[in-house]
Amino acid sequence: MFRNQILSTLRHGLGYCTKYPLTVALRLVQGFCVAHLFNEYVGGFRLVQGPSMMPTFSPNPEMRGDLVVAVSPRDPRALVCKRIIGLPGDVVCVDPTGEYAPSTEHVYVPKGHLWLMGDNASWSRDSRTYGPVPMALIRGIIVARVSRRPHV
């Protein structure tokens, strides 16, 4: 019975598509336009992969600073998820871990730039390797975390 209802609905939908193809095409174009505008100006979903932000995605209330999504300065086709460490005019420690530079080395963050760093410093390529990031590369601020339910 349920199968018959599904088939009937599909036949009706296909009949509508063949009877009014321009209306269906217009609705599809409108839907894609709305989705594009929402994704570009309001917000969207992004898949974050890799170990560079690992501590953030496990509960850790001691982390401070906003999380942002930015275009990678190394690969303009890629997006990166990093934490803002320094704002324009700040003096920040280049590498608090001492892996890339002595922990006593500091840098001035120029106007229109941010200093970004991954929470998992040993696995992160961030401002320690490519320097201050222009604000124009920032695509958005992360405001929520959605994750899959762990497998049981």
Side-chain angles (χ1 to χ4, degrees):
M1 181 174 151
F2 184 68
R3 180 174 179 244
N4 291 338
Q5 288 176 341
I6 291 175
L7 290 175
S8 172
T9 304
L10 285 174
R11 280 189 209 109
H12 176 70
L14 291 174
Y16 184 81
C17 290
T18 56
K19 192 172 181 180
Y20 305 105
L22 290 177
T23 303
V24 171
L26 181 63
R27 296 288 184 232
L28 283 172
V29 170
Q30 288 174 336
F32 283 119
C33 289
V34 167
H36 170 72
L37 291 172
F38 182 85
N39 191 38
E40 195 67 28
Y41 297 107
V42 178
F45 295 98
R46 298 285 186 264
L47 178 64
V48 178
Q49 296 177 338
S52 76
M53 292 301 293
M54 267 324 224
T56 299
F57 296 113
S58 57
N60 190 349
E62 297 171 14
M63 294 292 180
R64 299 274 190 262
D66 288 338
L67 291 175
V68 295
V69 174
V71 175
S72 171
R74 293 269 170 111
D75 181 7
R77 295 170 294 159
L79 294 175
V80 295
C81 171
K82 303 294 176 195
R83 186 174 300 280
I84 297 175
I85 301 298
L87 299 170
D90 286 352
V91 176
V92 295
C93 179
V94 172
D95 186 12
T97 65
E99 289 180 40
Y100 295 99
S103 59
T104 56
E105 186 178 335
H106 291 75
V107 68
Y108 172 79
V109 180
K111 183 179 178 182
H113 290 72
L114 298 171
W115 193 264
L116 303 179
M117 196 165 161
D119 288 349
N120 188 354
S122 60
W123 285 93
S124 181
R125 281 189 215 108
D126 46 37
S127 288
R128 297 172 302 155
T129 55
Y130 43 72
V133 176
M135 285 185 175
L137 294 181
I138 303 299
R139 290 286 171 236
I141 296 173
I142 297 175
V143 294
R145 173 182 164 228
V146 179
S147 64
R148 287 183 268 158
R149 191 179 289 185
H151 293 94
V152 179

